[in-house]
Amino acid sequence: QVQLVESGGGLVQPGGSLRLSCAASGSVFRLSTMGWYRQAPGKERELVARISSGGGTDYGDSVKGRFTISRDNAKNTMYLQMNSLKPEDTAVYYCNSDWRGVNVWGKGTLVTVSA
């Protein structure tokens, strides 16, 4: 059974950077589409970025050009490099694994962008 653990969240000033990590257990990581989603208070969960098993990526419109998703299959880990952070990026960031339609979620890590 896949388990996902996010790390790297915290408080950062506007314009700053953070790197989130998602460590996955299990043997299907390299076969899975992995994604980062976020949910701000009072808002619905939204896609931040997604990376396929083959390395193809797509991003939410609000983060294009600022965030970069990547994966290291040897380490069973996915990353999200977040640059030029804005207050509106404040949210709980969740890691997601999708393998053959089976979706697994992490518990989330809080990112707060504030002066």
Side-chain angles (χ1 to χ4, degrees):
Q1 184 177 354
V2 176
Q3 291 185 320
L4 305 174
V5 179
E6 304 96 336
S7 62
L11 174 64
V12 63
Q13 292 187 341
S17 298
L18 279 177
R19 189 175 83 153
L20 304 183
S21 298
C22 171
S25 65
S27 60
V28 298
F29 176 84
R30 64 182 179 86
L31 303 176
S32 303
T33 292
M34 300 296 297
W36 288 101
Y37 292 75
R38 68 185 182 186
Q39 188 166 19
K43 295 188 176 181
E44 294 186 353
R45 193 171 294 189
E46 64 174 356
L47 172 70
V48 176
R50 203 162 38 199
I51 184 167
S52 71
S53 58
T57 59
D58 66 284
Y59 295 88
D61 288 342
S62 62
V63 306
K64 285 179 181 177
R66 299 188 298 122
F67 291 9
T68 303
I69 190 171
S70 62
R71 66 191 297 163
D72 185 337
N73 289 338
K75 296 182 178 180
N76 271 23
T77 303
M78 173 181 64
Y79 305 97
L80 184 69
Q81 178 65 44
M82 305 187 293
N83 299 329
S84 302
L85 283 160
K86 305 175 181 180
E88 51 263 43
D89 294 317
T90 295
V92 178
Y93 284 71
Y94 296 92
C95 173
N96 174 266
S97 168
D98 181 357
W99 179 63
R100 293 185 177 181
V102 178
N103 269 271
V104 177
W105 294 89
K107 293 182 179 181
T109 185
L110 177 63
V111 172
T112 303
V113 185
S114 175

